[in-house]
Amino acid sequence: NAGVTQTPKFRVLKTGQSMTLLCAQDMNHEYMYWYRQDPGMGLRLIHYSVGEGTTAKGEVPDGYNVSRLKKQNFLLGLESAAPSQTSVYFCASSYERGRFFTGELFFGEGSRLTVL
Amino acid sequence: GQQVMQIPQYQHVQEGEDFTTYCNSSTTLSNIQWYKQRPGGHPVFLIQLVKSGEVKKQKRLTFQFGEAKKNSSLHITATQTTDVGTYFCAGPEGGSEKLVFGKGTKLTVNP
């Protein structure tokens, strides 16, 4: 099993460009998450999904869009990249242990994005 | 929204010394999770605590969940260089599936 796979691992963008980060998991997990990690800020939740076809906003959703058309994939889009979006992005997935009870998160290796 | 505060932000110890990081939530948590992130790596799950007053041990690591389920701690006995990394706590916001992380405690160990 590959677990959680993120592509691309590195990307450099110019301000105003768009791009999509892909997250794929092969564990049949219901829940998927996108976090960004900046120095001294910990992990901040951007968007998450509790199942195929559903998405919800996290702590810092502005400037990002997501889609979960298939259960195994969770896409994070930047429509018009800004330097403030320079960060390391982590995707994670988890199984549902019960209503509102998240199991352990399995993280991908991260995608380092630089916006010039 | 819910806040998960973690202290200290940084901790430097000599190898063999003990280390403790504390996590405090502004609201009662149904459960709390702890993760470790090695330098340059991704967060890896360590443990989940569910019950009030729960204490769990993993070798030299001891995890506690407060009686009021609003705070938690991770204690490492006799640190080793392999313990280097950032330790995060995380809790669900408002009984949802939204998992909110503390800012982490970065541990460095001097051999």
Side-chain angles (χ1 to χ4, degrees), chain A residues 42-80:
Chain A
L43 292 155
R44 292 183 292 171
L45 182 62
I46 305 171
H47 286 281
Y48 66 104
S49 167
V50 300
E52 181 179 314
T54 73
T55 62
K57 294 181 180 180
E59 303 168 86
V60 289
D62 294 342
Y64 304 95
N65 57 75
V66 287
S67 64
R68 183 109 181 258
L69 299 180
K70 293 183 178 180
K71 185 177 183 179
Q72 63 267 34
N73 296 336
F74 195 29
L75 277 64
L76 178 70
L78 286 71
E79 290 188 349
S80 180

Side-chain angles (χ1 to χ4, degrees), chain A residues 11-24:
Chain A
R11 184 75 187 269
V12 178
L13 288 177
K14 293 181 180 179
T15 297
Q17 286 185 319
S18 64
M19 77 157 296
T20 300
L21 295 175
L22 170 64
C23 177

Side-chain angles (χ1 to χ4, degrees), chain B residues 2 8 10 22 25 27-28 40-42 47 54-55 61 69 83 90-91:
Chain B
Q2 171 186 296
Y10 301 96
Y22 300 91
S25 170
T27 59
T28 301
H42 59 276
I47 207 160
E54 188 170 16
V55 178
L61 277 62
K69 300 182 77 172
D83 296 323

Side-chain angles (χ1 to χ4, degrees), chain B residues 47-60:
Chain B
I47 207 160
Q48 183 173 40
L49 304 173
V50 178
K51 299 176 182 177
S52 170
E54 188 170 16
V55 178
K56 285 189 175 181
K57 292 190 176 185
Q58 289 180 351
K59 296 183 181 178
R60 294 179 294 104

